[in-house]
Amino acid sequence: MSEDKSIPQQTVRGRLTLRTFARNTKSESLGVYLETSDDCFLIRPASGNPFENPLARLAGKCIEATGRRSSYVFFATEWHEIADPD
């Protein structure tokens, strides 16, 4: 799945977590999720290999990311770590 440029960019904030994606299927893998105050979805860079997600190194940290969301995946074009809001 690639980034859909017809969808407007948005900025989201939340905590990165690692979870099992597509449990009990041939596609089962560890996914990087962004948990916001009202939603949770997969997040990965808009370009590059979807199976080598550099955001995994930031698991447990809070980030602000800009990009496009397509159904259950947020394709981030840029991101940076932010202070924990708690």
Side-chain angles (χ1 to χ4, degrees):
M1 184 192 293
S2 63
E3 179 187 13
D4 183 351
K5 293 190 180 4
S6 68
I7 300 169
Q9 282 206 340
Q10 64 185 76
T11 299
V12 293
R13 291 178 175 209
R15 182 179 308 280
L16 293 173
T17 60
L18 300 177
R19 295 185 189 178
T20 303
F21 170 73
R23 188 178 302 276
N24 300 323
T25 70
K26 290 181 181 179
S27 300
E28 184 173 313
S29 60
L30 193 60
V32 181
Y33 285 80
L34 183 65
E35 295 181 8
T36 67
S37 59
D38 59 344
D39 206 355
C40 183
F41 43 85
L42 281 168
I43 183 169
R44 68 178 180 92
S47 60
N49 185 341
F51 299 105
E52 295 175 11
N53 192 334
L55 291 165
R57 295 188 304 266
L58 297 173
K61 302 195 183 235
C62 293
I63 67 162
E64 179 176 86
T66 301
R68 293 179 172 89
R69 185 163 175 192
S70 176
S71 64
Y72 61 91
V73 180
F74 187 86
F75 295 96
T77 54
E78 58 184 73
W79 60 87
H80 62 276
E81 190 175 341
I82 58 172
D84 191 337
D86 293 337

